[in-house]
Amino acid sequence: VIKKILIWPHPDLKKKSAPVLPEEFGTAAFNNLILDMWETLYDVGGVGLSAIQIGVPKRVFIVDAGKSSSRKAPVRWVFINPVLSLKEETAPLNEGCLSLPGIVETVVRHTAVSVEAVDETGEAFAGDFVGLEGQCIQHEHDHLDGIAIPDRVDQEAYAKILKKLKAKS
Ligand code: NI
């Protein structure tokens, strides 16, 4: 089911999401959440989506960088209860967000990230990510902690975002 994506500054987007509990894996509600997230992401043609963006405050996000995947082929990543280890080096990158339609801002991100997480079957996995996947993982992980692009930019860029959103509404 395609869900409505919450638009910043919706108060839910500032919530800290809760870990997924072991007993939730395999339930219809949980499987449907993951399916709904994929349907919603592909409907809007995005690269990543966090559960809170469709109003579910759980530590789940999905990423599909398509041909920009750092793996040889596109991978549909599901990250549940992820823990990130960030490489020290950073770079300013252009970044958008499905909850901030039409807005692209420069955000400083780490150039590489290691992730330990659980997949949708409850299996633990780990991986190293760079490029678009690495950037997207950092962006989506921010959503789990109630952080969005406007919280990652300077005052001038923040004011620009508010002005653009106001002009659209
Ligand atoms: Ni976003």
Side-chain angles (χ1 to χ4, degrees):
V1 180
I2 296 165
K3 297 290 184 176
K4 193 169 168 264
I5 295 176
L6 303 182
I7 301 300
W8 192 90
H10 192 289
D12 283 3
L13 293 172
K14 295 176 182 181
K15 276 187 192 163
K16 195 172 161 77
S17 293
V20 175
L21 304 172
E23 58 266 33
E24 292 184 70
F25 290 92
T27 63
F30 187 73
N31 291 340
N32 285 333
L33 168 66
I34 305 292
L35 287 173
D36 290 347
M37 287 176 71
W38 282 120
E39 264 194 70
T40 305
L41 180 69
Y42 291 135
D43 177 60
V44 292
V47 176
L49 183 75
S50 298
I52 191 61
Q53 289 180 280
I54 57 167
V56 179
K58 291 187 190 294
R59 298 186 82 77
V60 179
F61 63 77
I62 58 173
V63 173
D64 182 352
K67 287 178 184 150
S68 302
S69 170
S70 54
R71 306 305 192 256
K72 291 251 177 339
V75 182
R76 290 159 53 100
W77 297 101
V78 178
F79 296 92
I80 298 162
N81 300 342
V83 177
L84 308 193
S85 308
L86 302 163
K87 190 185 170 186
E88 203 174 321
E89 190 190 331
T90 60
L93 302 169
N94 283 339
E95 197 164 300
C97 177
L98 297 175
S99 295
L100 289 151
I103 286 166
V104 176
E105 275 301 330
T106 305
V107 179
V108 175
R109 294 294 182 190
H110 296 266
T111 55
V113 55
S114 301
V115 187
E116 283 181 52
V118 173
D119 69 17
E120 68 269 44
T121 68
E123 192 88 16
F125 71 100
D128 299 318
F129 300 88
V130 295
L132 183 59
E133 281 175 343
Q135 177 185 12
C136 187
I137 286 165
Q138 291 170 71
H139 175 107
E140 300 309 331
H141 188 263
D142 272 355
H143 280 304
L144 306 188
D145 290 330
I147 297 166
I149 290 175
D151 305 305
R152 291 270 184 209
V153 298
D154 61 24
Q155 259 188 336
E156 199 185 327
Y158 187 89
K160 206 171 91 189
I161 291 170
L162 287 185
K163 210 174 143 187
K164 267 197 197 166
L165 288 176
K166 218 176 155 188
K168 290 188 113 200
S169 63

